[in-house]
């Protein structure tokens, strides 16, 4: 499995864990609580494999964190009807733009 496939797995697992954290209602619901633990475990395993494959830690973590932030925000808006406004959208664009700059900088 390539570094970027492990990174995609890590991102999906982290988003699953974070969304499950909301659904767990303070760890009072069993299935979402188990998904939190499994999700974060798989996320950290995937991230460890990304680093083992040689992707720079700064790039790997930046992509993982930014994608997680953006996807969790999207899930919040679409499924939990959380509010979003222009300032929040601009913040997400800046986070993603920052990751692009980190990735570009790592290539020089």
């Amino acid at each position: 499995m390539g570094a970027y496939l492990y990174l995609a797995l890590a991102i999906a697992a982290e988003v699953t864990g974070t969304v499950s954290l909301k659904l767990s209602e303070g760890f009072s619901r069993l299935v979402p609580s188990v998904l939190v633990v499994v999700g974060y475990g798989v996320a950290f395993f995937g991230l460890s494999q990304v680093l083992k494959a040689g992707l720079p830690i700064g790039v790997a973590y930046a992509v993982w964190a930014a994608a997680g932030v953006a996807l969790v925000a999207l899930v919040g808006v679409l499924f939990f009807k959380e509010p979003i406004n222009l300032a929040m959208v601009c913040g997400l664009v800046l986070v993603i733009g920052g990751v692009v700059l980190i990735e570009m900088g790592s290539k020089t």
Side-chain angles (χ1 to χ4, degrees), residues 67-105:
V69 167
L71 290 170
V72 168
L74 185 62
V75 168
V77 169
L78 295 176
F79 295 102
F80 297 115
K81 306 300 182 214
E82 294 177 351
I84 191 163
N85 57 43
L86 183 59
M88 295 165 76
V89 171
C90 289
L92 288 170
V93 168
L94 288 171
V95 167
I96 293 167
V99 170
V100 170
L101 289 174
I102 289 170
E103 176 72 25
M104 289 171 46

Side-chain angles (χ1 to χ4, degrees), residues 20-47:
S20 296
L21 190 59
K22 177 162 178 74
L23 296 172
S24 77
E25 296 178 6
F27 289 104
S28 64
R29 297 181 61 215
L30 179 62
V31 173
S33 298
V34 170
L35 287 174
V36 171
V37 175
V38 171
Y40 284 121
V42 170
F44 288 126
F45 170 77
L47 193 56

